[in-house]
Amino acid sequence: MIVIMKPEATRAEIEAVIQRAGQMGCKPHPIYGENRTVVALVGDLTGVSREVFDEMNGVANTMRIQEQHKLTNRATRPDNTIIELPGTNIRIGSTEIIVMAGPCSVEGRSQIIENAIAVKEAGAKILRGGAFKPRTSPYDFQGLGEEGLKYLAEAREVTGLPIITEVMTVETLPMVAEYSDILQIGARNMQNYGLLQAVGKVNRPVMLKRGMSGLIKEWLMCAEYIASNGNYNIMLCERGIRTYETATRNTFDLNAIPVVKQSSHLPVVADPSHGTGYREYVPAMAKASVAAGADALILEVHPDPDKAASDGRQTMSVAEFAKLMHDLRRVAVAVDRFVGEAPSPVNVDELAELEALA
Ligand code: PEP
Ligand code: MN
């Protein structure tokens, strides 16, 4: 159930609703939107009557949310959630489409710094790179661990790009959170509820990847685990699902983008690198993702992809990435978004002069 406050409701009136909900034995989550505040009530709602809240000062109305995801539901917050990264002007979920790029794995100090400089030059706003790698075989490269996190932090120092990296376990969470600006939960950990609860208690934005066999409604419930523990800065990342098709590594579920945008206020990230598994298919699906409404992209890029320690086949070269960034700018404009520099506002006088000349 949600209690929708009037736009002019005072702090004291909001507090009174929170307090009353607590007394009734459920857990209140105030969600402060641009135009109105909503107090979402979750947990055991037996014995909670809407009338009690309807009569309180500052309350506009109450509403039951039928779907299982409550805090992440679009009905709870009609405005898009915008995730701001402290110390930067990056806002994920706004009109600007944010591009995150970098190698699958951090392989060494010079590799990640060189890679960071290259993707920044091409227009990436966030650096990706795995230090803890969830590999199918225990004999494959597992990542550099804390050493990799240190190199990522150095690359951030050099370029100013914030970093996103995967956290695989509850034990390593404090360490990863110390270095990383965004915590990535990998596809294989989508339903690792202990890890979800733990990142829910940490003050860092989280990018939750969809599990390879995860239904959209299960994925939303995983985001709900994070939100219900207090962390609302969550983005949902579509990275392809497993189907009978073998021509690509995964089947990139483009449908998921509009479906999730409709049922949740959380920003959506698209990962066409893992979604396709082949670098030659990445540009088409990256452009399609922007057209479909994705708020951000995460792309694997390496100076020498064929020598990458992991996921080389789906990793773009720097030149391929730069070309894609150029094309993405044009696709973004077609859907009233932008990539990189904000378009300068139309000068009405100049426009009138041009029209007069034509
Ligand atoms: C990755 O981002 O390199 C990764 C391991 O992704 P996923 O969890 O989607 O397989
Ligand atoms: Mn990868």
Side-chain angles (χ1 to χ4, degrees):
M1 186 165 98
I2 58 173
V3 181
I4 303 167
M5 304 302 297
K6 289 179 181 158
E8 68 276 13
T10 64
R11 277 270 156 181
E13 288 167 345
I14 298 168
E15 277 306 318
V17 168
I18 293 171
Q19 219 176 358
R20 181 71 61 88
Q23 287 160 356
M24 291 176 128
C26 56
K27 197 163 186 291
H29 285 260
I31 295 169
Y32 302 97
E34 256 170 52
N35 307 311
R36 56 165 215 197
T37 295
V38 161
V39 183
L41 310 184
V42 295
D44 184 8
L45 297 184
T46 45
V48 176
S49 77
R50 288 171 62 176
E51 291 70 34
V52 170
F53 295 100
D54 282 333
E55 283 161 14
M56 290 183 77
N57 290 338
V59 171
N61 63 310
T62 53
M63 207 169 101
R64 290 234 178 243
I65 297 198
Q66 298 307 330
E67 289 150 305
Q68 273 195 301
H69 65 294
K70 314 284 182 194
L71 301 173
T72 56
N73 202 302
R74 176 68 80 181
T76 301
R77 190 193 156 95
D79 306 329
N80 291 328
T81 282
I82 296 179
I83 301 177
E84 302 189 9
L85 297 185
T88 73
N89 58 3
I90 297 172
R91 300 173 81 236
I92 302 160
S94 65
T95 321
E96 179 178 359
I97 289 158
I98 302 295
V99 178
M100 317 183 200
C104 179
S105 302
V106 178
E107 296 160 14
R109 187 176 177 277
S110 57
Q111 170 252 6
I112 192 66
I113 293 176
E114 187 191 330
N115 209 317
I117 293 170
V119 297
K120 184 186 181 182
E121 261 172 30
K125 289 284 170 80
I126 297 172
L127 175 67
R128 68 146 287 150
F132 293 95
K133 296 305 302 177
R135 304 305 300 278
T136 302
S137 163
Y139 309 119
D140 286 341
F141 178 59
Q142 303 285 308
L144 296 179
E146 187 167 13
E147 190 190 342
L149 296 175
K150 287 188 173 148
Y151 297 149
L152 276 169
E154 268 195 72
R156 171 176 54 203
E157 198 66 28
V158 172
T159 58
L161 295 181
I163 54 185
I164 176 167
T165 196
E166 178 163 353
V167 56
M168 279 174 51
T169 61
V170 174
E171 295 74 45
T172 52
L173 173 60
M175 185 208 289
V176 179
E178 187 189 319
Y179 290 96
S180 194
D181 301 280
I182 304 174
L183 300 168
Q184 171 173 328
I185 303 287
R188 291 155 190 81
N189 269 323
M190 181 191 85
Q191 284 178 310
N192 181 339
Y193 297 119
L195 185 58
L196 300 178
Q197 284 168 331
V199 297
K201 297 189 176 85
V202 168
N203 183 22
R204 282 274 178 281
V206 177
M207 185 182 81
L208 176 65
K209 287 193 148 198
R210 179 178 179 185
M212 52 194 84
S213 309
L215 297 178
I216 292 175
K217 63 181 177 188
E218 291 167 339
W219 185 25
L220 289 169
M221 292 315 292
C222 293
E224 194 76 13
Y225 261 91
I226 302 171
S228 62
N229 278 279
N231 187 349
Y232 306 137
N233 284 326
I234 309 160
M235 43 199 126
L236 295 162
C237 176
E238 166 59 41
R239 49 78 71 203
I241 51 174
R242 183 162 287 177
T243 68
Y244 53 80
E245 185 54 70
T246 56
T248 48
R249 180 179 177 187
N250 289 294
T251 295
F252 185 60
D253 186 9
L254 204 51
N255 291 345
I257 300 172
V259 172
V260 167
K261 291 294 300 180
Q262 179 177 283
S263 61
S264 174
H265 50 81
L266 297 176
V268 174
V269 184
D271 176 353
S273 305
H274 293 86
T276 62
Y278 295 89
R279 70 176 75 105
E280 57 271 37
Y281 306 141
V282 173
M285 296 319 285
K287 288 180 273 186
S289 301
V290 169
D295 299 293
L297 293 168
I298 186 161
L299 301 165
E300 289 186 336
V301 180
H302 190 286
D304 192 352
D306 291 328
K307 295 216 175 73
S310 55
D311 286 351
R313 189 64 188 83
Q314 68 195 33
T315 300
M316 281 185 288
S317 69
V318 173
E320 286 162 340
F321 174 59
K323 160 86 171 69
L324 171 59
M325 287 299 289
H326 172 266
D327 294 348
L328 284 174
R329 289 194 178 98
R330 295 191 300 165
V331 177
V333 169
V335 290
D336 296 327
R337 311 279 297 258
F338 69 94
V339 179
E341 292 308 303
S344 47
V346 176
N347 182 326
V348 189
D349 295 337
E350 226 171 72
L351 202 68
E353 261 175 50
L354 286 173
E355 271 169 10
L357 286 174

